[in-house]
Amino acid sequence: MRTEDLLRELAPQVLTALVRRYGVFDSCEDAVQEALLAAALQWPEGVPDNPRAWLVTVASRKLVDQIRSDAARRRREDLTTPQSELLSTAEAQDDSLELLFHCCHPVLSAPSKIALTLRAVGGLTTAQIAAAFLVPEATMAQRISRAKQSIRGESLAMPEEARDGRLAEVRHVLYLIFNEGYTTTGGSDLTAPELSTEAIRLAQMLHRLVPDDAETAGLLALMLLTDARRPARTGPHGELIPLAEQDRTSWDSALIAEGIELISRTLPRGEVGPYQLQAAIAAVHDEAPDAKSTDWPQVLALYDILAQFGPNPVVALNRAVAVAEVHGPEAALELLEALAREKRMARHHRLLATRAHLLEKLGRHAESVAAYRDAARHTTSAPERRYLADQAQRVKGVCRESPGGGVIS
């Protein structure tokens, strides 16, 4: 195992061990980060026999160094003896799940939960997280610091019913991390693979710790089945390639097989939820050998069930795409007109891009060009902007050619 991967795996375990013993999350987290940095510098010359014990010992010393008051000095004396107890706790139990729940505390905003999870559980540095979200490192450092202060004094331990209540929040945070990695909201690259990879790793860990939770299994299956397409989503120059035009032979067949096996094993339980349904939809797409072979009636039926879980503009938009394939573009355009009345979706680039695609299929080329250009103006992703602008140019000269292209996926 690479040093980087080993450190990422051990980071949440070491942090949990320290927080359990000392109870000061922010100080413990800082100490663990310093220990990880020391390991990154020293371990290439040779990994210690017990790397977790090494990290716990070094982090504990770093924590002691942070203590300044007389009371803290007295506590330091206490910290010098119970290492065996601390290590046995760390080695006997993987408490990463509790740390995940801790980072998804209800008092934190969604961006703070994401940042703290990536830092404390994912083992990413502040600089890495800042780069992934295209914000200055100082800004991200302040965000993480405020998050740690907000949950200062909160215990890792929680009643089982409280943990069950927070499980949905944990899943949502991992879902948001994955989505940002799969299609970044800004910047020059379409994807941020380190984020989607980390989200999958954390979802796998969560699934191992709550194997009977159907929605956690569904979330993991959704990530696997979606991430399997990543190699085909961009061309040699980083240009976006829509789902219908992707080279499906370059999809990751191992991830597809794993995702299909997982969702096939989970769905029969009868506890169907939104993540399982989204995974089932992804499986239908992944199983089709080409775009024309996609079982769109099945996709539409799954979206109909998914829509029953409550209003969701993204689900409604994706359902409209399925309606276009099953019932034609006119029926789908009517759905988009209704969706556009919602304030948060009226100028959303995905809705505008879908509208442009449907107008093109109907031969309404001038309107399609305008919609593609409008969509390009409203996206913050450079690859999506270039793709949409190219579509506008293509449709502009397509009057004597057969239409092509596709919606962003």
Side-chain angles (χ1 to χ4, degrees):
M1 181 182 292
R2 296 185 309 162
T3 298
E4 180 182 350
D5 295 333
L6 179 59
L7 290 175
R8 188 169 290 184
E9 178 183 322
L10 292 175
Q13 300 174 28
V14 175
L15 177 55
T16 305
L18 260 68
V19 173
R20 277 192 176 280
R21 179 63 179 85
Y22 308 131
V24 188
F25 181 89
D26 52 344
S27 298
C28 289
E29 203 274 334
D30 290 339
V32 170
Q33 289 299 319
E34 291 189 44
L36 292 173
L37 177 59
L41 295 173
Q42 297 179 38
W43 287 10
E45 299 177 4
V47 178
D49 293 335
N50 191 334
R52 180 163 51 183
W54 189 96
L55 286 170
V56 170
T57 300
V58 173
S60 295
R61 290 172 180 166
K62 297 290 185 183
L63 181 60
V64 170
D65 290 341
Q66 297 171 16
I67 300 172
R68 294 292 182 265
S69 66
D70 290 341
R73 282 197 296 271
R74 287 195 299 271
R75 187 180 181 186
R76 183 190 320 189
E77 296 173 359
D78 295 333
L79 299 185
T80 60
T81 55
Q83 283 297 317
S84 58
E85 175 190 342
L86 183 59
L87 293 176
S88 64
T89 300
E91 292 172 350
Q93 183 179 6
D94 184 352
D95 291 326
S96 298
L97 178 60
E98 284 185 284
L99 192 57
L100 259 177
F101 281 87
H102 197 63
C103 292
C104 295
H105 197 284
V107 301
L108 300 178
S109 65
S112 294
K113 291 173 185 174
I114 291 171
L116 196 57
T117 297
L118 289 172
R119 171 71 181 261
V121 189
L124 274 66
T125 65
T126 303
Q128 288 173 318
I129 302 170
F133 286 92
L134 301 174
V135 300
E137 183 176 352
T139 300
M140 185 56 70
Q142 290 177 351
R143 182 178 298 172
I144 293 172
S145 177
R146 286 195 297 268
K148 290 190 291 187
Q149 288 297 321
S150 296
I151 58 175
R152 184 183 180 92
E154 294 283 346
S155 172
L156 280 178
M158 65 179 69
E160 187 173 348
E161 59 272 15
R163 191 194 74 171
D164 292 343
R166 203 179 294 181
L167 180 58
E169 195 68 36
V170 172
R171 286 195 299 258
H172 183 60
V173 167
L174 297 185
Y175 181 69
L176 293 176
I177 293 172
F178 177 83
N179 282 347
E180 182 61 27
Y182 191 71
T183 303
T184 59
T185 53
S188 58
D189 297 325
L190 180 67
T191 65
E194 68 277 8
L195 286 182
S196 11
T197 300
E198 183 59 23
I200 290 174
R201 188 186 76 86
L202 295 176
Q204 288 171 329
M205 180 180 68
L206 184 62
H207 176 55
R208 286 195 300 269
L209 292 165
V210 287
D212 295 329
D213 184 75
E215 273 293 80
T216 298
L219 173 61
L220 176 56
L222 172 62
M223 290 181 179
L224 296 172
L225 291 164
T226 305
D227 200 56
R229 305 175 202 148
R230 178 153 46 97
R233 294 185 68 230
T234 54
H237 305 293
E239 66 272 21
L240 183 152
I241 301 176
L243 179 63
E245 299 173 15
Q246 289 173 15
D247 175 11
R248 301 189 177 208
T249 62
S250 65
W251 287 359
D252 191 321
S253 58
L255 287 183
I256 292 173
E258 184 181 353
I260 289 176
E261 190 279 330
L262 181 57
I263 193 59
S264 298
R265 178 162 36 92
T266 303
L267 281 174
R269 297 181 191 175
E271 305 168 3
V272 179
Y275 290 124
Q276 295 169 74
L277 290 167
Q278 291 178 71
I281 293 168
V284 175
H285 285 294
D286 286 7
E287 289 181 309
D290 52 62
K292 291 182 179 179
S293 303
T294 304
D295 188 347
W296 283 106
Q298 183 180 1
V299 171
L300 179 56
L302 289 168
Y303 272 121
D304 287 341
I305 300 172
L306 185 58
Q308 296 175 15
F309 283 87
N312 184 314
V314 175
V315 170
L317 178 58
N318 290 333
R319 181 180 177 277
V321 173
V323 167
E325 296 292 338
V326 177
H327 301 298
E330 283 283 7
L333 273 176
E334 292 181 12
L335 296 176
L336 292 189
E337 292 301 325
L339 189 57
R341 297 189 194 105
E342 293 193 22
K343 201 169 186 180
R344 54 180 170 169
M345 288 297 292
R347 311 310 300 167
H348 195 288
H349 73 280
R350 292 191 184 280
L351 186 148
L352 295 167
T354 303
R355 184 172 185 274
H357 176 62
L358 296 175
L359 289 169
E360 180 189 353
K361 293 183 74 172
L362 289 169
R364 295 160 61 177
H365 295 116
E367 293 174 83
S368 176
V369 169
Y372 272 128
R373 288 175 174 170
D374 203 8
R377 284 193 295 270
H378 283 85
T379 181
T380 55
S381 166
E384 289 186 335
R385 187 182 306 112
R386 288 193 297 268
Y387 170 81
L388 293 167
D390 288 345
Q391 294 306 299
Q393 283 299 112
R394 179 185 57 76
V395 176
K396 188 176 180 181
V398 82
C399 294
R400 293 187 299 274
E401 302 174 9
S402 59
V407 296
I408 296 173
S409 61

